[in-house]
Amino acid sequence: MPPATDTTTPDPSVRAALRSPRLLRTEVLGGLVVALALIPEAISFSIIAGVDPRVGLFASFTMAVSIAFLGGRPAMISAATGAVALVIAPLMREHGYDHLIATVLLAGVIQIALGVAGAARLMRFIPRQVMVGFVNALAILIFIAQIPHLVDVPWLVYPMIAVGIAIIVGFPRLTRVIPAPLIAIVALTAFVLMAGAGVPDVADQGQLPDSLPALFLPDVPLTWQTLQIIGPYALAMALVGLLESLLTAKLVDDITDTHSDKTREACGQGAANVITGFFGGMGGCAMIGQTMINVKASGARTRISTFLAGVFLLILVVGFGDIVGLIPMAALVAVMIMVSVGTFDWHSIRPATLRRMPKSETTVMLATVAVTVTTHNLAIGVIVGVLVAMVLFARRVAHLTQTHRELVEDEGGVTAVYRVTGELFFASSNDLYTQFDYVGDPERVRIDLTDSHIWDASTVAALDAIATKYERKGKSVEVTGLNAASAERHDRLSGDLGMH
C-alpha cells in the first residue's frame, strides 16, 4: 500500500500576497468588511460586560493586530467576544474596571502557560459531532444576536435586510473581485443617506471613541485577596477563550484544507490578551462569525487581512466615526444573517443523514447545541458534548465485552475456562464480576484474556475480586493470555487495590 500523501494546498504567504495585486486586494477588502462588522459587535459586547464601548472597540483593535503576528492560524479574527463578556460581567459589576483589567492580564498569562503545557493537544479528544454541534450552536447564536435589531424597528428595516441578503447571495455570480458584504453595506448606506430614511444605525449602538488607546495599569493591590477575587474569573476567561479559539482554528483548517499551529495559537491568544489588558481592553478570543466573513465570504487567507481588520477598525472609529455611525444596522444584520446561514452545517440535519447516523452521535450533536444555546456559553456546551460523547462511548464499548464459559478436562481434572473478548475498563469490568458461576464451577478456574485488554485499575480490582471470591470457596483462579501492556498493569496493581 503506497504511503498517504498530503493533498492540502498551502495558503499563500504574506510575501506572496504582497506581490500579487489580486491577492492583496482580497486581503485588504476582507479586512475592511470585518472591521465594519466588528464595530457593532464590539459595542454590544461592551454593553454586556458593563464597560464603556471604547473598552470593547480598543480590545478588538489590539487583539486583531496582536494575533496577526502572534497567532498560529492565518486569516482568523480575534477580538472582543460575547463569551468573554459574559464571564467578566459579574466581576465588573462587583469590583469595577481596574479588577477587570487585572483579570484580563492574568487570563492572558494562564493561556500562555496552558499553551506551553501543551493544552492545544487536547483538541484531539473533541469528537467530530461535538465540533458539528459547536458550529451549529454558534450559527444559531449569531442569528439570535440579530433579533434585537429586528424588533420594534421601522418597517423599512425589513425590506432593507432582504435587499442586503439578496446582494450578498447574488453579487458573487457577477464578480468576486469585491466582497459581496461590502457591496451590501455601501449600497444600503447610500440608500439611507439619499432617501433620508430614519432607521437605526451604528451611532445608535453607543458612542465611538475619538482618541487612540493609551497604556493602562490597573490600580489594584498586589495581595492574596486580589488574586482570590480575580483568579476564578481569569481561569474561566482563559479556558473559554482558549477553547473557542482552538475550535475556530480547527474549523478554518477544515474550510481551507490547511494546517495551523494550535500551540502557537494558544500562546498567541494569551499574549494578545496581555497586550490588550495593558491598553485597557476587555480581552477576547477568536470570533467565528467575523472569521467566516473573512475566510468564506471574502476569501482572505493570510495574516494581512487580520492585521488590517484591526487597523481599519481603529481608523474607522477614531478618524471616520461620524461616517461609520451612519451605516444602517440593517446592512450589518443582513451580513450576520448570511454568516449564520453559511456557518450552519445543514448536511448534519438532513433526514438522510439523521437516518444513517447512529443515535448516539446525533445525541452528542444535539446536546452540544442545546446546552450552548441555552447557556450562551460555547465552552460549557462543548464540555457537556464531550462528556455525553464519553458516556455514550463507554456504554457502547462496555456492551461489546462478552464472556464465554466452557469446561475443559485434562490430566489434572476439569477446569472452567472463561474466555473474555472486548476491552476491559471501568464501564465493562464492573459487570465482569457477575458473569462467573462461583458455586457451580470446579476447583480450577482459568480466565483467558487473549482476546481482551486491561486498560485501568478498575479491571485489575475486578479480577482480584473474582479471584478472592473463588478462593473463599476453596477454588483456584489463573489469569492467562495477557498481552505485554495488560500483564505489566496487572502485575503492578494486583493485590494492592483493596476492596476485595
Side-chain angles (χ1 to χ4, degrees):
M1 180 178 178
T5 57
D6 187 358
T7 58
T8 59
T9 303
D11 284 337
S13 65
V14 171
R15 182 175 299 178
L18 291 174
R19 290 177 176 177
S20 168
R22 180 182 61 83
L23 293 177
L24 184 59
R25 181 181 62 242
T26 299
E27 300 295 315
V28 172
L29 294 177
L32 179 58
V33 175
V34 169
L36 291 170
L38 276 174
I39 294 171
E41 295 272 298
I43 295 173
S44 299
F45 298 149
S46 298
I47 295 171
I48 292 173
V51 297
D52 189 281
R54 288 174 295 183
V55 176
L57 289 166
F58 287 158
S60 295
F61 159 68
T62 53
M63 285 294 296
V65 170
S66 299
I67 209 67
F69 294 97
L70 302 172
R73 174 63 257 179
M76 191 167 78
I77 305 297
S78 291
T81 60
V84 170
L86 289 170
V87 170
I88 61 179
L91 176 73
M92 180 64 193
R93 286 196 303 268
E94 296 174 16
H95 300 283
Y97 179 64
D98 287 280
H99 278 79
L100 182 148
I101 299 304
T103 300
V104 173
L105 294 171
L106 180 57
V109 172
I110 293 173
Q111 287 180 327
I112 294 173
L114 290 173
V116 173
R121 290 194 292 270
L122 296 176
M123 286 295 295
R124 74 184 73 173
F125 296 106
I126 297 182
R128 181 185 180 279
Q129 288 304 101
V130 174
M131 274 295 300
V132 172
F134 163 79
V135 170
N136 290 347
L138 203 46
I140 294 171
L141 289 178
I142 291 172
F143 183 82
I144 290 175
Q146 310 315 309
I147 292 178
H149 303 297
L150 302 173
V151 179
D152 294 330
V153 294
W155 68 269
L156 187 58
V157 168
Y158 303 111
M160 287 179 63
I161 292 175
V163 170
I165 292 174
I167 292 174
I168 296 171
V169 173
F171 193 79
R173 299 178 182 177
L174 301 177
T175 178
R176 293 183 178 271
V177 173
I178 302 176
L182 181 58
I183 297 297
I185 293 171
V186 172
L188 291 177
T189 302
F191 166 76
V192 169
L193 294 178
M194 289 187 295
V199 295
D201 54 29
V202 171
D204 296 330
Q205 303 303 303
Q207 183 179 2
L208 298 178
D210 55 7
S211 62
L212 297 175
L215 286 174
F216 179 85
L217 292 177
D219 183 16
V220 295
L222 300 177
T223 62
W224 176 250
Q225 183 179 5
T226 299
L227 183 61
Q228 287 180 311
I229 293 172
I230 68 174
Y233 292 101
L235 180 60
M237 176 181 167
L239 294 176
V240 168
L242 207 55
L243 185 58
E244 187 165 347
S245 299
L246 294 176
L247 287 172
T248 304
K250 189 174 186 301
L251 180 62
V252 177
D253 289 352
D254 294 340
I255 292 172
T256 60
D257 288 328
T258 57
H259 302 291
S260 59
D261 187 339
K262 303 299 190 301
T263 297
R264 178 178 173 181
E265 183 61 39
C267 295
Q269 288 289 332
N273 272 306
V274 171
I275 293 171
T276 297
F278 279 126
F279 279 94
M282 58 182 277
C285 61
M287 298 187 75
I288 191 168
Q290 275 65 23
T291 298
M292 290 300 100
I293 292 175
N294 196 43
V295 175
K296 292 189 74 173
S298 302
R301 290 292 183 271
T302 76
R303 300 175 186 274
I304 295 175
S305 58
T306 305
F307 173 76
L308 289 179
V311 173
F312 283 145
L313 173 65
L314 187 65
I315 293 173
L316 288 170
V317 299
V318 175
F320 300 93
D322 293 340
I323 298 175
V324 171
L326 298 174
I327 296 175
M329 285 304 299
L332 299 175
V333 168
V335 172
M336 297 311 294
I337 287 176
M338 290 310 299
V339 168
S340 172
V341 172
T343 300
F344 197 91
D345 185 352
W346 297 100
H347 176 77
S348 66
I349 60 171
R350 289 177 182 172
T353 303
L354 295 175
R355 282 195 299 268
R356 288 195 303 268
M357 192 69 66
K359 291 182 179 179
S360 59
E361 301 288 314
T362 302
T363 300
V364 170
M365 187 266 286
L366 293 177
T368 304
V369 171
V371 174
T372 301
V373 172
T374 301
T375 64
H376 283 234
N377 190 314
L378 293 165
I380 294 177
V382 170
I383 290 171
V384 169
V386 171
L387 291 175
V388 171
M390 289 171 57
V391 170
L392 294 178
F393 173 77
R395 183 172 177 268
R396 185 167 65 250
V397 174
H399 284 90
L400 296 178
T401 304
Q402 296 180 332
T403 303
H404 302 279
R405 175 182 180 269
E406 64 176 327
L407 297 178
V408 177
E409 189 169 358
D410 53 23
E411 298 174 354
V414 178
T415 302
V417 178
Y418 287 86
R419 290 186 172 85
V420 182
T421 59
E423 304 304 308
L424 292 174
F425 63 112
F426 62 90
S428 56
S429 60
N430 287 335
D431 292 333
L432 189 65
Y433 181 84
T434 63
Q435 297 181 25
F436 291 81
D437 186 0
Y438 299 99
V439 176
D441 279 341
E443 294 183 357
R444 294 189 305 167
V445 177
R446 184 165 76 244
I447 304 175
D448 185 356
L449 300 180
T450 303
D451 298 321
S452 188
H453 187 102
I454 295 176
W455 286 105
D456 60 6
S458 295
T459 302
V460 177
L463 292 172
D464 285 352
I466 293 168
T468 299
K469 188 162 185 176
Y470 273 117
E471 288 167 1
R472 287 173 180 166
K473 298 183 180 301
K475 302 174 183 180
S476 63
V477 176
E478 178 186 13
V479 178
T480 63
L482 294 170
N483 58 34
S486 298
E488 188 276 332
R489 184 172 287 110
H490 183 267
D491 293 342
R492 175 160 45 90
L493 298 177
S494 182
D496 295 325
L497 297 173
M499 297 178 64
H500 357 299

